[in-house]
Amino acid sequence: MGSKRRCLYCMEPRQEQLSWHGLISRADDPVCPDCRALFTMLMSRDCRICGREKDEQSAPFFQDTRCGDCVAWGEKDIGRALDHNISLYRYDKAMQQWMARWKYRGDPALTAVFQKEWVQIWRRSYASWKVMALPAGPGRTQERGFNQAVLLADMLPGDRLNGLEKKDEPKKQSKSTKNQRESLFYQPFYMNNQEKIRFNGEKILLVDDIYTTGTTVRKAASVLRSAGAERVASFTLARSTGTLSRKEEKAQ
Amino acid sequence: MNLLIAVLAALLGITAVYYSFPIFLISVFPLLFVYVWWKTGQKRTLIYGGIVFVLFSIRMDSAERNNVSAFNEPPERVEAVILTTAAVDGDQVQWQMRERHHQEKIFVSLYMAEEKELLQIQSLTPGSICRVEGQWKKPAAAGNFSAFDYKNYLHKQQIHWTVEVSGMDHLLCRSPEQDSFLSAVSQWRYFGIKHIQKHFPEELQGISSALIFGDRNDLAPGVEKAYQQLGLIHLLAVSGLHVGIISGILYYTGLRLGVTREQMSFILVGFLPLYAMLAGGAPSVWRAVLITMLVLLYQRFSKQTLPPVTALGAAALAMLWIDPYYSWYIGFQLSFFISLSLLLSFPILRRLHSLPLQLFGVSAVAQTASLPIILFHFYEFSLLSYILNIGFVPFVSLLLLPFCFLLFFLSLLLPQAAEAAMKPAEFIILLLHNNLQALAESRILQVVTGQPDTLQLLLLSVSLLFVFAMAEKKHRMGIVLAAGSLAVVFGWLFAAPYFDSKGAVTVIDVGQGDSILIELPYRKGVYLIDGGGALAFPKEEWQKRKKEYDPGEQTVVPFLKSKGIRTIDKLIVTHGDIDHYGGLYAVLKQIEVKQMLYGRSDEEKDSERQFLETAYRQGIPIVFAEKEMAWKEGDQYFQVLAPLDNKASGNEASIVLYAVMGGRSWLFAGDLEEEGEKHVMQAFPGLKADILKAGHHGSRTSTSASWINQLQPKAALLSSGRCNRFGHPHGEVLDNLEAGEVDIYRTDEKGAVEIAFTHQDIVSIRQASEEILNDQCGS
C-alpha cells in the first residue's frame, strides 16, 4: 500500500494522518505532527521593529511598541539603517537543535521543514521587495559548504539581488562575546565594486537564519543604504531572546 | 488514503454495473480521475484504482446474474430450512427460509388461526426443516414516489418470492437432522432472545434484545420511532463499542487466567465472528468485528499498529466483496461513513480538552457528517439530537449496555438477584422512553427539508467537507465561507418549491382509500384531500399487531416529508369514513394544518366524532363544507359543489371539489354515489371536468354513464387497494369510462399517479411503478 514515508526531521516512519483538510489539500508536511509541534511560531509582534516578545525579562524596557534594544538602536545612525526585522520562530531549545543539525552538522535538506510558512509570510507581506541573502565570508562558506542564508533565500521565488560581500571575520560570531560582536566600528560588509551596483530607491529584504541583537543585519543594511537602497528589512527564521540586551545588561 | 480511493472505486464499480452506467456516474469518472491524480500524483494509484473498479464491477455483475429465482412458476410445496428467529407480531409470524433443492432464500409469513399455535411456532428453532405449502407471490415494487420498494429491498437480499402460509397445518416441520455450526449459533441467539422475553420485564425486553442480540422486534414501535427521529437510533445498533467492551472483557479475563497475549489475540479473532452472528449480523456489527480482527492480526504478525483508516477501508472492501448489495444498506452507509468522519475529525476533536466538550464534539461530528445520508433517506433531521447525544451516548454505552449484559448473565445464574435489579431498571427505562416519545412527538427543533436531489446532495456534501476542513485549519474566513455555502444549500432545499413554476396533483397509493395531494405552483397552496386509512376488523387481544398497518404513518406522512411539506394550508376531509380520515391522525401529529374542511354528515359516527375532537383539541380551525364555498389562488380556482345540504349521510355527504388548475378543470368526487351525482348535475347543469377523480374507488354505485356523459372527462383517476375485497374498481365503471374514451389511471395497477401542471397546461402524467402491481390477486 504505497511506500512508507518518513518524517524529514525525526526520520520515524509516518502514518498518514488523514483529516478533512487533508482530503482537499495536497501539500503535505514533510515533518510529522509531533516534530511540527516542537517549534513555536512567533504570533504577536510585540516589538514592531525587531519582533521581540514582551516577556518578564524584556517587558520593563519596552517603550510603547518598541523594545529597549530598538529604542537604543533608534539613537544611532547604523541602528536606523534597518527598517524592521521579521522572524518566524522563537529561538528555543528545539530551534537550537534544529539549527545545529542544519547549519553546523550540515544537513541542508532540512531547510524544507519551514518552507511552507517561510514562503507564505514572504508572499503575504514582502512579495514586492527585492530579496538578498546575507553574505557569509568566503572562508565560512568554504568550511560549511553552503551559506545558510542563501538556502533560505532560494526558497523564495524570483530573482536575488547580488553585490554585497563579506570579509572573513577573525572569530565565529556565535562564539565571540557580545562586546566584540557588537563593536560598531568593525564593518565586515562591502559592495562588490566591479559590478558598480547602485540601488535606486529599492526595498531590500535581507534574508538570514537568525536575528539575535540585530547588529549584523544593521551593518549590512547601512552598506546597502549608502548604495542607494530606500528601505532595508530583515527576514529571519528565528528570533533569539536568550541573550540580554545591552540596556538589560546595564540594569543588572 | 489509497485505501479510501480503493473503496470509492469499488462503490463506483458496484453502482455503475447496477444502474448500467448512467450518465451521472460516467461524468463522475473524469472528476475522480483528476482528483486522484492531483491528490497523489501517482500513476500507480490510478492504475490500482482502475483495477479495483473493474474487479468490483465484475463481482457485482456476477452477483446480479446469480440473483435470479430458480422458480419460474410457484411450486405447490417445497422443503425449506428455517434461517432466522421467528418474528412474531400479533397473529402474524415471519421467517426467512432456504429452499433445500435450489438453495434459494424465501420469505415466509404465516397467519395464526388460534393463539395456541404460538406454542408450536416457538418450538421451531432455526435449522428446523419444514414442508411449506402456501401462496407464492412476487414481492411488489413501490406503489409511491420515493417510497420504500419492497421488491428491490428483497432483491438485494437475494429473495424473490414471499410465501403466505395460511396456518400451521401447512407448515410441517421436524428438528434438524444434524446441527450445523451455523444453525447452532442462530439457535443460541434464538434461545437468548426467548430467555429475555421470558425473564425480563416488558419495558426492558426490547432494549435488552436490541443491545445484546441486535433484535429490535420486541421494541415498541413508538419507542423505536422516537429513537430514530431524535437521531439516537445508532445507539441501538450493535457496533464498535459493543465489540470493544466485549473484546476488552474477554481479553483481560483471559490474561488473568494465565493465557498469553498472543493466544488471547487468536482466541478473540476466532470468537469475534461468532459474536457477530449472535448479535444479529447487521453491517455495523460486521464492520466493528472485522476491524478488530484486522487490528489484532496485523499486530500479531507485523508487530505494528494498523492505522484505523486502513482497517476501516479494508473492512469496507471485504464486506462489499462478500455482498456488494451492502452498498444500499442504510446501516452500512451510516456505520462506515460516521466512523470515517470521526477518524478524519481527529485533529479537530483532539483540540477539545474537557470530557463534556469532547462528547459534544463527537456527537456533533457524527450528526453533521451523516446529514446527507439522513436527509436522503428520512427527509428530516433533529437539531435536538446534538444535545441529546451528549447525555445518551455515555448513558447507553457506559451504563445501560454493560448493565444489560450483566443482567442477562445474572438472570441465567442467579434469577432472584436479577429480578431484584430489574425493578428499578424497568422504572428508569420506562421513564426515559416515555419522555423520549413525548419529546419526539413534540417535534421541537425537528427540521423537514424534503428529499434532496443528486445535485443538492453533492453540494451539501462538498459544503460540509469544507466546513470541517476549514474548522480543522481554524481558517476564519474559510469557515465563514464554507458555512455560508452550507446555508445557501439549505436555503435552496427550503426555498426550491417556492420557485417552482410547476404544481402537481398526486393521488397517493394508500391501498383501499383516498389521499390526494394538491401542490400549487410556487407553493402558493398545499391541500390534502383525505389521508387514507386502514379498515379495522375486530381482533382479539393476541391477534393485535404492535404496529397495525397505517397508511397515514407509513405512506402519506413520509411522502409529504419527501416533498419538504411542513404545512398543509387546507386539509379537506371529504367525509367521515375511516378509509378517508384514518391516516390523518398521523398527519395531524407531524405536520402543521392551518385549516380543515370537513364534509359533515347527517349522522355522526362515534369514531368520526373522535377524529374531529382530536383535530379540535389541536386548535385546528374546522370548517364544515357547504355548497358554493369557493376560493381563488392566482390562476387557480376552487369551489365546493357538494354537499348540497346537510341532509345527506354516509358517502353522499362527501365533499365534491371542483377546481381549475393548469388551465384544466378537475373534479374530486370523494365517495359520491349515483344519487349524489344526479343532484350535482341538477344543481350545475353546465358542469364539465377534464380530469375526474372517480367517486368511491370506482365502485359500481358511482361514476354512472350519465355522469361521464355530462362531465366528458379526458382522464379518470381511480384510487383503490390492490386486490381489494370489494372488487373496486368495478368492471362496469371501467367499461363506461372506456366507452367515453377516458384515459384511466389506477393506483391499484401502477401505484400513485402524479399530474404535473404549470399555470398554462398539464405537463406530465406519470405513475410510481412501471409494472403492473396487482397481477397476483389470486382467487
Side-chain angles (χ1 to χ4, degrees):
Chain A
M1 258 161 285
S3 56
K4 271 261 155 59
R5 286 163 59 251
R6 285 172 188 275
C7 169
L8 183 61
Y9 194 45
C10 67
M11 305 309 282
E12 288 294 318
R14 285 180 66 187
Q15 269 177 15
E16 203 175 12
Q17 166 75 65
L18 271 182
S19 73
W20 292 103
H21 189 262
L23 290 181
I24 56 164
S25 65
R26 57 193 285 203
D28 19 16
D29 201 336
V31 298
C32 63
D34 289 344
C35 287
R36 176 62 62 203
L38 294 174
F39 306 105
T40 319
M41 268 196 121
L42 294 171
M43 302 304 263
S44 60
R45 271 187 75 74
D46 292 340
C47 173
R48 289 284 164 79
I49 295 186
C50 72
R52 168 142 206 188
E53 288 174 286
K54 208 175 203 168
D55 51 24
E56 267 177 43
Q57 204 173 51
S58 66
F61 305 98
F62 260 73
Q63 287 183 13
D64 282 343
T65 55
R66 288 194 293 169
C67 68
D69 267 2
C70 289
V71 173
W73 278 124
E75 293 157 8
K76 297 188 177 69
D77 282 346
I78 194 172
R80 286 194 296 271
L82 186 78
D83 201 82
H84 66 273
N85 166 67
I86 188 150
S87 302
L88 254 65
Y89 290 92
R90 186 183 291 159
Y91 190 64
D92 49 13
K93 265 264 147 44
M95 201 57 177
Q96 276 171 33
Q97 279 167 4
W98 181 85
M99 287 264 181
R101 251 177 78 182
W102 179 59
K103 213 157 69 167
Y104 304 125
R105 273 182 269 151
D107 191 353
L110 285 187
T111 322
V113 171
F114 301 112
Q115 175 157 16
K116 196 179 152 203
E117 292 75 11
W118 182 252
V119 175
Q120 213 167 41
I121 297 286
W122 172 79
R123 188 160 282 146
R124 203 176 292 161
S125 315
Y126 298 101
S128 67
W129 294 55
K130 291 276 188 293
V131 175
M132 175 183 268
L134 194 81
R140 174 72 58 79
T141 313
Q142 183 74 29
E143 179 190 324
R144 267 188 204 147
F146 60 88
N147 173 4
Q148 71 278 4
V150 171
L151 290 181
L152 289 171
D154 280 350
M155 285 196 292
L156 304 175
D159 296 331
R160 298 288 90 77
L161 272 188
N162 292 310
L164 192 67
E165 299 283 344
K166 191 184 184 192
K167 290 180 263 183
D168 269 328
E169 278 174 63
K171 269 184 183 173
K172 268 191 190 179
Q173 247 198 28
S174 55
K175 285 178 188 167
S176 64
T177 69
K178 200 169 191 89
N179 284 338
Q180 277 175 302
R181 232 192 302 169
E182 293 194 353
S183 157
L184 295 176
F185 307 106
Y186 176 73
Q187 174 56 281
F189 296 100
Y190 62 96
M191 287 306 291
N192 187 337
N193 280 329
Q194 279 107 339
E195 293 190 28
K196 291 216 170 15
I197 297 168
R198 289 290 304 171
F199 304 116
N200 290 319
E202 307 262 33
K203 291 186 290 180
I204 297 178
L205 191 64
L206 260 179
V207 170
D208 199 8
D209 56 345
I210 188 162
Y211 180 103
T212 309
T213 60
T215 312
T216 317
V217 282
R218 281 187 170 82
K219 283 174 182 169
S222 88
V223 174
L224 293 173
R225 288 288 292 272
S226 9
E230 194 202 338
R231 289 169 77 188
V232 180
S234 64
F235 186 30
T236 48
L237 194 58
R239 174 72 173 90
S240 160
T241 51
T243 44
L244 297 177
S245 73
R246 238 168 320 162
K247 256 199 162 171
E248 288 160 8
E249 226 166 353
K250 269 182 214 155
Q252 283 191 347
Chain B
M1 186 68 210
N2 287 346
L3 257 180
L4 282 190
I5 292 170
V7 174
L8 216 57
L11 284 172
L12 268 180
I14 290 166
T15 42
V17 166
Y18 187 77
Y19 297 112
S20 37
F21 293 92
I23 296 163
F24 173 72
L25 269 177
I26 289 170
S27 64
V28 169
F29 285 132
L31 279 177
L32 200 71
F33 198 83
V34 169
Y35 172 75
V36 173
W37 179 250
W38 168 81
K39 177 79 186 120
T40 64
Q42 290 172 331
K43 242 181 259 156
R44 238 197 350 211
T45 316
L46 281 174
I47 294 167
Y48 288 156
I51 293 173
V52 172
F53 173 84
V54 171
L55 281 177
F56 276 83
S57 302
I58 296 169
R59 174 72 188 88
M60 184 64 197
D61 191 54
S62 89
E64 274 288 87
R65 274 173 212 281
N66 291 324
N67 194 3
V68 285
S69 177
F71 298 98
N72 291 321
E73 289 296 314
E76 205 158 306
R77 72 171 72 86
V78 293
E79 229 183 27
V81 185
I82 297 183
L83 295 177
T84 55
T85 53
V88 182
D89 188 4
D91 57 352
Q92 192 192 39
V93 195
Q94 294 176 316
W95 296 272
Q96 269 187 34
M97 296 191 191
R98 188 184 296 285
E99 192 273 330
R100 288 184 92 199
H101 184 60
H102 297 286
Q103 292 293 312
E104 178 171 327
K105 273 201 274 181
I106 51 175
F107 194 80
V108 178
S109 53
L110 178 139
Y111 292 89
M112 289 180 280
E114 287 172 275
E115 194 175 5
K116 63 178 186 227
E117 286 182 346
L118 192 61
L119 279 174
Q120 266 176 287
I121 283 161
Q122 278 169 342
S123 68
L124 296 180
T125 56
S128 305
I129 299 159
C130 304
R131 215 170 67 182
V132 186
E133 266 180 358
Q135 201 180 7
W136 285 52
K137 284 186 177 174
K138 290 193 164 146
N144 282 292
F145 298 105
S146 56
F148 176 71
D149 188 331
Y150 192 51
K151 181 184 175 186
N152 203 322
Y153 169 76
L154 290 184
H155 172 85
K156 284 171 180 150
Q157 299 181 38
Q158 284 95 17
I159 297 175
H160 306 280
W161 292 95
T162 62
V163 184
E164 284 170 18
V165 180
S166 56
M168 280 308 281
D169 311 344
H170 302 275
L171 192 73
L172 299 172
C173 301
R174 58 177 195 273
S175 331
E177 285 149 3
Q178 71 210 47
D179 267 347
S180 79
F181 180 68
L182 282 184
S183 63
V185 175
S186 41
Q187 275 181 37
W188 296 343
R189 177 164 185 260
Y190 181 77
F191 290 128
I193 295 169
K194 281 268 107 55
H195 178 83
I196 289 178
Q197 282 170 351
K198 215 180 257 169
H199 297 281
F200 278 44
E202 207 179 334
E203 203 54 38
L204 278 181
Q205 278 174 23
I207 193 133
S208 304
S209 288
L211 288 176
I212 301 175
F213 293 108
D215 179 286
R216 287 190 209 154
N217 284 319
D218 292 328
L219 210 60
V223 172
E224 192 181 354
K225 194 171 162 12
Y227 271 94
Q228 188 257 308
Q229 199 188 311
L230 297 171
L232 299 169
I233 193 82
H234 62 99
L235 291 171
L236 297 185
V238 181
S239 64
L241 220 70
H242 287 66
V243 175
I245 289 177
I246 289 179
S247 311
I249 292 173
L250 270 179
Y251 192 75
Y252 289 107
T253 327
L255 293 189
R256 283 252 160 235
L257 294 177
V259 188
T260 66
R261 280 165 196 274
E262 271 99 31
Q263 286 168 329
M264 212 49 229
S265 298
F266 279 119
I267 291 173
L268 270 182
V269 168
F271 166 79
L272 283 171
L274 195 75
Y275 172 70
M277 285 184 274
L278 272 179
S284 57
V285 192
W286 277 115
R287 170 186 61 81
V289 161
L290 278 176
I291 287 175
T292 317
M293 285 165 67
L294 281 171
V295 168
L296 285 172
L297 286 174
Y298 190 85
Q299 193 144 35
R300 175 75 185 78
F301 289 109
S302 81
K303 306 287 176 207
Q304 276 174 344
T305 325
L306 187 65
V309 177
T310 309
L312 188 71
L317 283 182
M319 284 175 75
L320 287 173
W321 187 260
I322 292 165
D323 186 356
Y325 293 106
Y326 271 134
S327 318
W328 286 273
Y329 284 32
I330 305 177
F332 179 87
Q333 294 168 356
L334 283 177
S335 176
F336 274 94
F337 191 68
I338 290 180
S339 307
L340 176 66
S341 305
L342 289 175
L343 290 177
L344 289 176
S345 304
F346 184 68
I348 304 178
L349 297 173
R350 193 168 50 175
R351 292 207 288 262
L352 308 173
H353 288 300
S354 69
L355 185 68
L357 215 57
Q358 274 171 351
L359 276 172
F360 176 73
V362 167
S363 111
V365 165
Q367 303 291 321
T368 312
S370 58
L371 268 181
I373 299 174
I374 296 286
L375 291 187
F376 180 75
H377 292 292
F378 302 108
Y379 330 126
E380 62 175 340
F381 71 99
S382 169
L383 283 171
L384 215 55
S385 68
Y386 285 83
I387 305 158
L388 287 177
N389 269 292
I390 305 173
F392 266 84
V393 170
F395 172 72
V396 173
S397 50
L398 298 179
L399 283 174
L400 195 55
L401 174 65
F403 181 75
C404 282
F405 271 101
L406 193 76
L407 218 53
F408 183 75
F409 289 115
L410 204 61
S411 69
L412 288 174
L413 303 171
L414 295 164
Q416 273 94 14
E419 216 165 298
M422 278 171 192
K423 278 272 167 260
E426 186 191 13
F427 175 75
I428 292 169
I429 294 297
L430 187 66
L431 193 73
L432 194 75
H433 283 176
N434 284 344
N435 281 311
L436 271 188
Q437 276 179 281
L439 206 57
E441 272 175 25
S442 75
R443 300 190 59 78
I444 296 170
L445 295 177
Q446 195 76 18
V447 183
V448 178
T449 59
Q451 189 174 36
D453 60 30
T454 319
L455 184 64
Q456 288 169 328
L457 219 50
L458 200 72
L459 289 177
L460 179 63
S461 314
V462 172
S463 306
L464 283 173
L465 169 64
F466 273 88
V467 168
F468 281 120
M470 292 301 134
E472 181 189 320
K473 282 285 141 188
K474 293 191 187 163
H475 196 304
R476 242 177 253 154
M477 198 57 203
I479 295 174
V480 171
L481 282 177
S485 75
L486 190 64
V488 168
V489 176
F490 268 100
W492 184 18
L493 269 174
F494 277 100
Y498 297 92
F499 292 95
D500 191 351
S501 61
K502 272 191 292 189
V505 171
T506 311
V507 185
I508 305 169
D509 181 5
V510 287
Q512 184 67 10
D514 262 14
S515 184
I516 301 155
L517 176 69
I518 300 176
E519 298 162 277
L520 299 184
Y522 305 105
R523 195 157 280 187
K524 293 277 189 208
V526 174
Y527 311 139
L528 181 68
I529 305 177
D530 297 332
L535 295 166
F537 300 101
K539 277 190 170 182
E540 286 180 41
E541 198 47 45
W542 69 271
Q543 289 178 308
K544 281 193 182 143
R545 309 263 176 87
K546 275 183 301 192
K547 199 173 177 177
E548 292 289 350
Y549 172 65
D550 175 8
E553 181 70 43
Q554 275 135 290
T555 307
V556 180
V557 170
F559 181 67
L560 293 178
K561 283 182 185 167
S562 81
K563 293 246 177 187
I565 289 172
R566 294 167 281 272
T567 311
I568 295 171
D569 297 301
K570 284 188 202 309
L571 178 61
I572 299 159
V573 185
T574 56
H575 65 293
D577 273 353
I578 190 90
D579 56 334
H580 291 253
Y581 73 78
L584 292 175
Y585 281 105
V587 173
L588 291 180
K589 254 189 197 168
Q590 302 187 50
I591 289 163
E592 191 197 335
V593 175
K594 283 198 181 149
Q595 189 193 51
M596 185 157 106
L597 208 58
Y598 195 85
R600 190 183 212 169
S601 165
D602 193 18
E603 64 222 43
E604 228 160 53
K605 285 172 270 185
D606 281 348
S607 53
E608 188 183 349
R609 174 136 209 104
Q610 197 191 334
F611 170 69
L612 281 170
E613 273 170 11
T614 307
Y616 178 76
R617 270 200 302 274
Q618 284 195 20
I620 296 165
I622 302 171
V623 178
F624 292 112
E626 277 167 42
K627 180 189 155 193
E628 308 275 289
M629 209 177 252
W631 70 94
K632 257 185 99 147
E633 190 63 69
D635 291 341
Q636 285 92 208
Y637 174 76
F638 300 88
Q639 187 182 347
V640 176
L641 304 186
L644 294 163
D645 46 44
N646 281 333
K647 293 199 183 84
S649 65
N651 288 339
E652 298 290 24
S654 281
I655 295 179
V656 176
L657 184 71
Y658 174 80
V660 178
M661 291 181 285
R664 301 284 179 159
S665 53
W666 306 65
L667 196 69
F668 301 96
D671 270 3
L672 191 71
E673 308 210 5
E674 211 171 332
E675 196 65 25
E677 289 171 356
K678 265 187 211 151
H679 291 308
V680 170
M681 284 189 280
Q682 277 161 11
F684 303 93
L687 187 65
K688 297 269 181 263
D690 293 324
I691 297 144
L692 169 70
K693 201 297 291 186
H696 201 195
H697 322 290
S699 140
R700 70 192 297 191
T701 54
S702 301
T703 324
S704 59
S706 56
W707 180 243
I708 297 170
N709 262 338
Q710 160 84 48
L711 298 175
Q712 298 194 333
K714 296 187 175 63
L717 310 172
L718 289 131
S719 178
S720 60
R722 270 181 271 297
C723 317
N724 66 74
R725 61 170 83 202
F726 311 103
H728 294 160
H730 199 272
E732 229 169 80
V733 171
L734 295 175
D735 287 346
N736 283 343
L737 286 168
E738 261 164 42
E741 292 185 349
V742 185
D743 291 338
I744 298 168
Y745 298 94
R746 291 168 57 174
T747 60
D748 63 334
E749 257 185 18
K750 288 185 167 185
V753 193
E754 184 208 73
I755 306 177
F757 60 90
T758 62
H759 74 105
Q760 285 156 323
D761 204 356
I762 284 163
V763 287
S764 71
I765 304 180
R766 58 185 187 124
Q767 289 204 260
S769 167
E770 279 170 14
E771 52 197 271
I772 303 283
L773 300 170
N774 62 339
D775 55 352
Q776 301 182 87
C777 289
S779 44

